[in-house]
Amino acid sequence: AQKVTQAQTEISVVEKEDVTLDCVYETRDTTYYLFWYKQPPSGELVFLIRRNSFDEQNEISGRYSWNFQKSTSSFNFTITASQVVDSAVYFCALRRDDKIIFGKGTRLHILP
Amino acid sequence: DGGITQSPKYLFRKEGQNVTLSCEQNLNHDAMYWYRQDPGQGLRLIYYSQIVNDFQKGDIAEGYSVSREKKESFPLTVTSAQKNPTAFYLCASSILDVNEQFFGPGTRLTVL
């Protein structure tokens, strides 16, 4: 079965703290793609990153970083020095054939 | 500006009426998708289309219908057969063989 689990339903941190959002996936495919999307209060999903299964290098983009570990089937997302504008729902997703399977999302509250 | 437009942002209908949600993209993307999002839930795929005049059912197609007469347009009709149509509907598009999808702003449908 192909599945994405985001165990953290909701997280609250104080501004400037670091926060990690967990994502665990299941797939029988040897080649697959993982994604993170951000959904701010406006509702539109914003694409953040794509990672393919052959590339286990961690990636950093400004205050965002992603840790992909095939051995534990995890693709965690860390926000460093969080800001109020980071408040949103974050979705982890897995590509299956020509479709994308989304986790249920983690709602992140950054408190001023 | 290139992008995906969905209109209207908010839509109200009486129970038993069909309603059509519009989705237009000017990104020249081949594939288009419709998702439904309920509170606290991830996105569930309703229908998708990879080419004009062709489309496939997603995981929750019952009570919905689509058409793809033009590459730019993928309207979704919520029929009276859909038992619980009140939800947030998101349209997305992508280039074939490129994995990430890009989303429109969504339409919040409320059936009274």
Side-chain angles (χ1 to χ4, degrees):
Chain A
Q2 316 259 10
K3 190 177 167 184
V4 176
T5 301
Q6 295 180 255
Q8 304 150 307
T9 306
E10 205 158 341
I11 301 175
S12 294
V13 300
V14 177
E15 197 174 16
K16 296 183 186 170
E17 288 184 353
D18 299 347
V19 58
T20 295
L21 308 183
D22 298 332
C23 173
V24 173
Y25 62 92
E26 294 176 30
T27 180
R28 291 197 194 95
D29 297 339
T30 52
T31 301
Y32 52 89
Y33 295 85
L34 296 160
F35 310 85
W36 275 96
Y37 284 85
K38 173 182 180 180
Q39 186 178 37
S42 60
E44 181 172 345
L45 263 74
V46 177
F47 167 73
L48 296 178
I49 190 171
R50 173 189 66 192
R51 174 65 66 207
N52 76 52
S53 53
F54 295 120
D55 183 2
E56 287 194 70
Q57 266 195 321
N58 291 331
E59 179 150 344
I60 298 174
S61 176
R63 296 184 297 105
Y64 294 173
S65 63
W66 290 268
N67 184 345
F68 176 35
Q69 294 199 335
K70 283 179 79 169
S71 59
T72 56
S73 296
S74 65
F75 186 41
N76 296 337
F77 172 29
T78 297
I79 302 174
T80 304
S82 60
Q83 299 176 2
V84 172
V85 293
D86 296 327
S87 296
V89 180
Y90 291 86
F91 291 96
C92 181
L94 167 71
R95 184 178 176 94
R96 179 193 74 188
D97 299 325
D98 49 5
K99 293 179 273 187
I100 293 181
I101 303 169
F102 288 85
K104 293 192 174 181
T106 297
R107 183 175 297 277
L108 178 63
H109 301 277
I110 308 299
L111 308 171
Chain B
D1 277 7
I4 303 170
T5 57
Q6 292 184 245
S7 60
K9 180 76 172 170
Y10 299 95
L11 190 54
F12 297 88
R13 279 295 181 268
K14 289 185 179 176
E15 195 172 335
Q17 289 181 336
N18 290 358
V19 58
T20 298
L21 282 58
S22 93
C23 177
E24 305 276 333
Q25 54 99 0
N26 60 5
L27 300 167
N28 200 30
H29 285 176
D30 303 295
M32 296 186 74
Y33 309 81
W34 274 105
Y35 292 91
R36 170 183 172 135
Q37 185 179 23
D38 293 284
Q41 299 295 312
L43 278 67
R44 293 184 291 169
L45 182 64
I46 305 172
Y47 268 99
Y48 65 104
S49 167
Q50 295 184 309
I51 194 169
V52 174
N53 292 324
D54 189 40
F55 47 83
Q56 283 77 42
K57 291 182 180 180
D59 301 316
I60 56 163
E62 186 176 347
Y64 299 97
S65 66
V66 293
S67 63
R68 186 90 187 273
E69 296 176 4
K70 297 186 301 182
K71 188 176 184 178
E72 308 81 43
S73 178
F74 191 40
L76 173 74
T77 297
V78 184
T79 74
S80 55
Q82 168 49 236
K83 290 185 173 55
N84 186 15
T86 294
F88 187 52
Y89 291 88
L90 284 156
C91 178
S93 70
S94 69
I95 301 172
L96 282 180
D97 300 329
V98 174
N99 293 277
E100 55 268 28
Q101 296 175 9
F102 296 92
F103 285 79
T107 292
R108 192 166 298 280
L109 172 64
T110 301
V111 175
L112 307 169

